[in-house]
Amino acid sequence: MIVDVYLSDIVVDADAGGSIIDIGVALDGPPGPPGTGGGVADFIFTQAFPATPWVVNHNLGRKPLVAVLDVGGNEVEAAVQHISVNQLRVSFAAPQAGSARCI
């Protein structure tokens, strides 16, 4: 069994008994390509007037996680049904205004 121990920029490989089998210097490689800006795209749907259900056309091409918020920004209980990978339905016990954040 080989165990790597990192001491600053020095790499010491030891076997299970603690005997050193290799010593090397860890160097940084070249920088990678630029990232895409922070992960998966999301979508925010706004329902200005109280309604139930809300039909949300997010066009994300997947079934996202959904956070449902009232107009004050508080999370509210709702039933979310994914109709397709691009559309979902949010239903409430009583009509609500607010937003649905698809992540």
Side-chain angles (χ1 to χ4, degrees):
M1 176 178 170
I2 296 176
V3 178
D4 287 338
V5 177
Y6 293 90
L7 306 170
S8 296
D9 290 308
I10 300 173
V11 179
V12 178
D13 290 329
D15 63 19
S19 298
I20 295 175
I21 55 174
D22 188 35
I23 298 175
V25 177
L27 302 173
D28 291 334
T36 59
V40 182
D42 60 356
F43 176 82
I44 298 177
F45 170 84
T46 301
Q47 178 66 44
F49 301 101
T52 191
W54 301 349
V55 176
V56 179
N57 296 306
H58 54 75
N59 296 317
L60 293 172
R62 58 185 168 78
K63 295 179 179 179
L65 297 173
V66 181
V68 181
L69 309 172
D70 64 16
V71 292
N74 303 301
E75 194 163 0
V76 296
E77 190 172 321
V80 176
Q81 177 189 12
H82 294 276
I83 299 166
S84 72
V85 295
N86 292 311
Q87 186 181 66
L88 59 89
R89 179 181 296 119
V90 181
S91 300
F92 304 93
Q96 295 276 335
S99 62
R101 181 170 184 202
C102 303
I103 52 176

